Amino acid sequence: MKSLRQLDCTKNYLETVPPKLASMASLEQLYLRKNKLRALPEFPSCKLLKELHAGENQIEMLNAENLKQLSSLCVLELRDNKIKAVPEEITVLQKLERLDLANNDISRLPYTLGNLPQLKFLALEGNPLRTIRRDLLQKGTQELLKYLRSKIQDDAPGPSEEPPVTAMTLPSQSKVNIHVITTLKLLEYSDKQAAEIPGAVFDAVGSNPVATVNFSKNQLREIPPRLVELKDSVCDVSLGFNKISSISSELCLLQKLTHLDLRNNVLTALPEEMEALKRLHTINLAFNRFKVFPSVLYHLPALETILLSNNQVGSIDPVQLKGLDKLGTLDLQNNDLLQVPPELGNCENLRSLLLEGNPFRTPRAAVLAKGTAAVLEYLRSRIPS
């Protein structure tokens, strides 16, 4: 098929892609999302390939050689994989405009990433990044690239310097580390497959203020009731990768909360009492079971980031969303949106609107690929006058 431009193999059980695919001389877009790939495909001669979508696979590493063969890529989408490192060779992708690495296991980035001349969109949320502060990630792609460029001149930190522990860092310690509580204000009990958080974990806090709680990757079925004991200081709570089916009122008492990570649970709704979380600016609800957009989110004025991908949300209210005037990132990828209301185009503060993987027919993929500003402009043009 020498003339074929687009090939979509999404949602299959592919473990490999034959290198011979590269002889499809006209191929520009290749969709391999939601398969079983463990590595990026090898394309010795795909000179025209502009878009490669390989999110939601099991890719663990990016082979530098494979990247070198993809020099014409404009879009590389690798979110929700198991990638641990980004090789320096990523800089061979000089035409790259969009790079999506969200929800992987990346702990550090090559500073040379800042030198990609065309890069307009870089998604990194949901990675255990040690060297980049979370507030920097919130500022958008250009600020982040500027930061990376500034670090190219600096040398790497010396052996005595510990990288800062972020809320996404998951050190697996078997017992409670009092030193971590007192110096980092971090209460961490993750990756233990525990059905409940032992009382000793909370007892260890004593009178120390705790800013960050990480109880992710366990078997919790409810919000730990004793979390409320930390309400005077806690601002960042990670409860992702558990089996939580509902949010209890205890969580709604944590009024200093700014970040809440509830991804990969079995939630279907959020209680209206969450309206009390007036400082909340980031909420991650990806990979749950929401069928409707949680209405309480419309009443949280500080929200800057809503991550709601991989649910079954069927509609959104653009008028109420416009009321969230700080909202910069809205991720609704892989939901059940049958249409995108044109009025969403009026949410002009959105810097990152992610809608791929929904069953709507318009905006078409070509519009989505142009990025958020183009999508919003397109939607505004469709508002009945």
Side-chain angles (χ1 to χ4, degrees), residues 118-148:
Q118 308 292 329
L119 198 60
K120 298 182 183 70
F121 174 84
L122 174 61
L124 292 166
E125 66 270 9
N127 282 288
L129 288 166
R130 288 162 175 260
T131 48
I132 295 176
R133 295 192 322 278
R134 185 176 256 169
D135 61 317
L136 188 63
L137 292 180
Q138 308 273 315
K139 287 181 180 172
T141 300
Q142 295 314 315
E143 284 296 312
L144 184 55
L145 296 179
K146 197 158 78 176
Y147 167 81
L148 291 171

Side-chain angles (χ1 to χ4, degrees), residues 314-329:
S315 65
I316 46 175
D317 183 337
V319 178
Q320 295 210 64
L321 273 174
K322 189 172 182 343
L324 298 176
D325 51 13
K326 292 192 169 72
L327 190 65
T329 298

Side-chain angles (χ1 to χ4, degrees), residues 261-297:
D261 188 345
L262 291 163
R263 79 180 96 161
N264 293 74
N265 277 287
V266 288
L267 294 166
T268 55
L270 298 180
E272 291 303 319
E273 290 88 337
M274 280 183 68
E275 199 172 334
L277 303 179
K278 295 297 184 200
R279 298 189 189 183
L280 190 67
H281 63 67
T282 298
I283 188 163
N284 190 343
L285 299 167
F287 290 94
N288 275 282
R289 297 185 182 171
F290 291 96
K291 292 192 170 172
V292 293
F293 190 94
S295 59
V296 69
L297 297 184

Side-chain angles (χ1 to χ4, degrees), residues 32-195:
L32 296 166
R33 305 189 80 247
K34 297 192 179 184
N35 278 285
K36 306 278 184 196
L37 299 176
R38 293 189 173 277
L40 213 54
E42 286 183 47
F43 291 130
S45 60
C46 252
K47 294 284 182 281
L48 292 178
L49 192 66
K50 292 186 174 63
E51 297 188 22
L52 177 56
H53 299 262
E56 289 185 68
N57 279 284
Q58 293 158 19
I59 299 171
E60 292 186 6
M61 64 174 287
L62 298 180
N63 183 316
E65 287 306 308
N66 294 10
L67 288 175
K68 287 175 184 169
Q69 299 161 355
L70 298 169
S71 56
S72 53
L73 269 194
C74 301
V75 177
L76 179 56
E77 189 264 305
L78 293 166
R79 63 186 297 126
D80 299 294
N81 276 287
K82 298 175 179 175
I83 297 165
K84 292 183 170 53
V86 180
E88 297 277 347
E89 288 81 0
I90 191 91
T91 52
V92 301
L93 306 181
Q94 287 285 300
K95 295 180 181 171
L96 202 60
E97 294 176 19
R98 290 174 67 87
L99 177 59
D100 190 341
L101 294 167
N103 302 328
N104 277 282
D105 294 328
I106 300 164
S107 57
R108 55 188 332 126
L109 287 176
Y111 296 137
T112 48
L113 197 60
N115 285 338
L116 285 175
Q118 308 292 329
L119 198 60
K120 298 182 183 70
F121 174 84
L122 174 61
L124 292 166
E125 66 270 9
N127 282 288
L129 288 166
R130 288 162 175 260
T131 48
I132 295 176
R133 295 192 322 278
R134 185 176 256 169
D135 61 317
L136 188 63
L137 292 180
Q138 308 273 315
K139 287 181 180 172
T141 300
Q142 295 314 315
E143 284 296 312
L144 184 55
L145 296 179
K146 197 158 78 176
Y147 167 81
L148 291 171
R149 284 194 293 274
S150 76
K151 300 298 278 186
I152 294 173
Q153 291 81 26
D154 304 350
D155 287 319
S160 62
E161 290 180 47
E162 274 288 295
V165 174
T166 67
M168 298 302 302
T169 311
L170 306 176
S172 51
Q173 292 152 322
S174 54
K175 53 187 185 296
V176 185
N177 188 330
I178 307 291
H179 174 72
V180 168
I181 294 175
T182 53
T183 57
L184 300 172
K185 299 182 180 175
L186 167 69
L187 183 61
E188 198 275 338
Y189 196 83
S190 69
D191 219 352
K192 305 277 190 278
Q193 303 306 310

